[in-house]
Amino acid sequence: QTLNIDAEPTRDDKLREYIAIDKINFVLGWNRKKQGEWWFWKGKPEGAGEEEECCAHRPIGLHKYKLPSEIQRMDLQFFGSTDGETPKKFDAKTKRYVDKVRGAMGISDEGFNPE
């Protein structure tokens, strides 16, 4: 049975996704040319964002974060801490993406250096 509902794309003007369907450190490694045309790429236009440019810098949804500790860590990574807590280290790709998101949201990096 189907519900006759069609998904609509959620991309910015640079064809980057507003919604990541897996943890961000995994999605940042997806490459259409290297990995081939698997289901994730079906229906996406040529030039759709890949790897570090896969995701919009103002994301609205990041999936596969289920445990409270994962959600708290993600919140800390993107928004910082009010009590001076420092997030765990990022890999280089994730750090660059988080920096872009924080910049797009106007969040200061003062005292924020998870390296």
Side-chain angles (χ1 to χ4, degrees), residues 13-75:
D13 59 347
K14 295 183 179 176
L15 302 178
R16 299 177 299 207
E17 298 288 340
Y18 281 111
I19 299 172
I21 63 166
D22 204 340
K23 290 186 177 180
I24 196 66
N25 58 312
F26 296 131
V27 178
L28 292 171
W30 293 353
N31 182 300
R32 190 177 207 164
K33 292 170 194 75
K34 290 179 187 173
Q35 297 167 333
E37 293 287 323
W38 52 291
W39 68 263
F40 175 75
W41 299 108
K42 184 178 180 181
K44 292 191 190 308
E46 279 299 315
E50 298 178 50
E51 295 186 297
E52 289 186 54
E53 289 303 312
C54 67
C55 301
H57 297 167
R58 294 182 68 91
I60 60 173
L62 301 171
H63 288 271
K64 298 251 178 125
Y65 294 90
K66 296 184 179 7
L67 299 174
S69 60
E70 292 175 318
I71 295 167
Q72 290 166 344
R73 180 174 180 231
M74 181 179 61
D75 188 62

